[in-house]
Amino acid sequence: MPRDIPPLAEVRRITEKKRDAWWTVMLVDPVATPLVRWIAKYTRATPNQLTWGAFLVGLGSAACFAQGDWRWLLLGAVLYHVSFIFDCMDGKLARLTGTGSVFGAWLDFVFDRIRVLVCSIALMGGQYARTDDVLYLWLALAVASLDALRYIDSLEIFKIRHGMRKQIKARMRAARKAENQAELAFMEDLLRENPEADLEMDRDTVAPLEPVTPLEPVAPLEPVAALEATATLESTTAPVSAPGPTPTPAPAARRRPAVVDLHQEFRRRFPWWVRCRNFLQRHRIRAHLISGIEFQMGVFIIGPAVDAVVATTVVSGALLLVFELAIIYKLLLSTRDFTRTINSFETAEERVPAATSVSS
């Protein structure tokens, strides 16, 4: 009996990410999302079964690559794309049916890495057997190494960003406890939740996302400004009540959260990036144009399909390294924003008690 599954438009809203790789948005989602809806409605397939299916089809792609002939390479490229479609469908099915699991996420990650390793060995090994050119052996090592580098680097960057955010939140919680400060929000989270926001062109849309107070050109001191504004407001404008019955307090207005932007220096140095990001996000495409996904597609789909394995592998690897270096540079600038933000809390802690003592 068919299950009650929402219409396709609602399934897209539930299953498709707000930001994704351009290859996924343009060449995978238009096929994967309707298939996920059909599978969820008419079958009892689980996300883990789709993960196994993606892995097995990926092994079939590797078997085709190992033959070395162009016809087999073309079939291997088609199978690899089918494998990737299944790989995207398991997560969509989990989000649609609420059947995701921690083990499923681990299985998906491990199978992805095994698939890349096996396919790189098969593709380059098949070409080495056909041409006896040792360059293909080095390319196999390079593909496997770049794939591992990409995911290790992304994990470490995530850990560093998480640590910075954790420290800022801890300082803000202390400030809220002392001065009843507004809540804290991170600019990158607000932009992720509001992909239609345009920081430059659409001021009305971005207004709820802007910091509480204007920033100085040199350093982002949003938390400090919020702390000082709170202290000044409480110390200078508190009304003096006449003796008599205590009036019923009116419900407090919800304060706008103080916004911390850990990518402010990067945006200031590269203002054109904001415009590019806005354009891409309006089409659900993330600004990181060459990631692990695009790298794999270049090596295992485009290269074999056009019978230019060496050229596409070299170009794909070079573009991946360029974008990874850009991410590392962006992280460097983000750590400087983090340091200034932490220092701004220390400055605020020194100024707020002084303002309170003067008012008393």
Side-chain angles (χ1 to χ4, degrees):
M1 180 178 179
R3 286 190 287 186
D4 186 18
I5 300 297
L8 182 58
E10 180 67 11
V11 172
R12 292 188 187 278
R13 186 191 67 82
I14 296 172
T15 62
E16 294 180 354
K17 299 176 182 178
K18 292 184 177 179
R19 291 189 303 175
D20 212 336
W22 63 266
W23 185 281
T24 303
V25 172
M26 300 174 65
L27 301 175
V28 175
D29 283 349
V31 177
T33 305
L35 283 177
V36 164
R37 183 178 182 273
W38 187 90
I39 289 173
K41 187 171 184 177
Y42 295 106
T43 74
R44 298 294 174 181
T46 66
N48 286 351
Q49 289 173 344
L50 291 182
T51 302
W52 274 99
F55 178 66
L56 294 177
V57 175
L59 293 183
S61 173
C64 294
F65 288 151
Q67 306 305 312
D69 182 73
W70 177 76
R71 296 180 184 86
W72 286 104
L73 292 183
L74 182 59
L75 179 58
V78 172
L79 289 179
Y80 196 91
H81 187 61
V82 172
S83 172
F84 184 69
I85 290 176
F86 275 100
D87 188 31
C88 294
M89 287 171 60
D90 57 5
K92 295 179 185 296
L93 184 63
R95 289 189 288 272
L96 180 61
T97 60
T99 54
S101 65
V102 175
F103 177 77
W106 173 86
L107 189 70
D108 183 49
F109 178 82
V110 171
F111 278 0
D112 284 350
R113 305 284 67 75
I114 295 176
R115 179 181 60 188
V116 171
L117 178 62
V118 172
C119 284
S120 62
I121 293 174
L123 176 62
M124 303 306 172
Q127 295 304 298
Y128 173 73
R130 185 173 66 89
T131 63
D132 202 30
D133 188 348
V134 73
L135 174 62
Y136 288 104
L137 300 182
W138 288 107
L139 287 178
L141 178 62
V143 170
S145 300
L146 286 174
D147 181 73
L149 172 65
R150 162 69 187 131
Y151 283 93
I152 292 173
D153 186 41
S154 63
L155 177 61
E156 289 302 314
I157 289 178
F158 172 80
K159 289 167 61 177
I160 292 174
R161 287 178 174 170
H162 178 73
M164 292 191 298
R165 292 160 66 100
K166 187 175 181 181
Q167 290 187 52
I168 292 174
K169 287 180 178 180
R171 300 300 289 268
M172 179 57 81
R173 278 195 294 268
R176 288 177 58 195
K177 184 176 181 180
E179 298 294 333
N180 191 27
Q181 173 63 358
E183 295 181 358
L184 174 67
F186 288 92
M187 179 68 75
E188 55 191 300
D189 289 343
L190 297 176
L191 293 175
R192 185 178 298 111
E193 294 170 2
N194 299 269
E196 296 298 325
D198 189 326
L199 291 178
E200 291 189 342
M201 305 301 296
D202 189 356
R203 306 302 298 180
D204 294 334
T205 304
V206 183
L209 310 181
E210 293 177 337
V212 176
T213 54
L215 305 180
E216 292 298 326
V218 178
L221 302 179
E222 296 92 337
V224 179
L227 269 174
E228 294 176 348
T230 303
T232 305
L233 182 63
E234 293 177 351
S235 61
T236 59
T237 64
V240 179
S241 302
T246 303
T248 303
R254 182 181 178 87
R255 290 177 176 172
R256 291 174 57 193
V259 178
V260 174
D261 186 1
L262 292 180
H263 298 296
Q264 188 176 30
E265 184 171 346
F266 181 85
R267 292 190 180 99
R268 186 164 54 241
R269 292 193 180 198
F270 306 98
W272 54 266
W273 178 87
V274 175
R275 294 188 290 272
C276 293
R277 171 205 166 274
N278 292 336
F279 173 79
L280 292 172
Q281 287 213 348
R282 281 193 287 270
H283 298 82
R284 278 201 319 116
I285 298 174
R286 63 189 180 193
H288 189 187
L289 293 177
I290 306 297
S291 64
I293 292 175
E294 290 81 8
F295 172 66
Q296 291 179 42
M297 302 310 126
V299 174
F300 300 122
I301 295 181
I302 298 177
V306 300
D307 198 18
V309 173
V310 173
T312 54
T313 300
V314 171
V315 171
S316 299
L319 290 175
L320 178 68
L321 285 175
V322 168
F323 274 85
E324 288 303 305
L325 290 174
I327 290 177
I328 294 172
Y329 179 66
K330 186 178 179 182
L331 176 66
L332 172 63
L333 299 182
S334 182
T335 59
R336 295 176 181 175
D337 287 326
F338 166 75
T339 301
R340 285 195 290 267
T341 302
I342 291 296
N343 292 340
S344 73
F345 279 108
E346 296 175 355
T347 305
E349 290 170 357
E350 296 174 358
R351 294 180 183 178
V352 171
T356 305
S357 62
V358 170
S359 63
S360 60

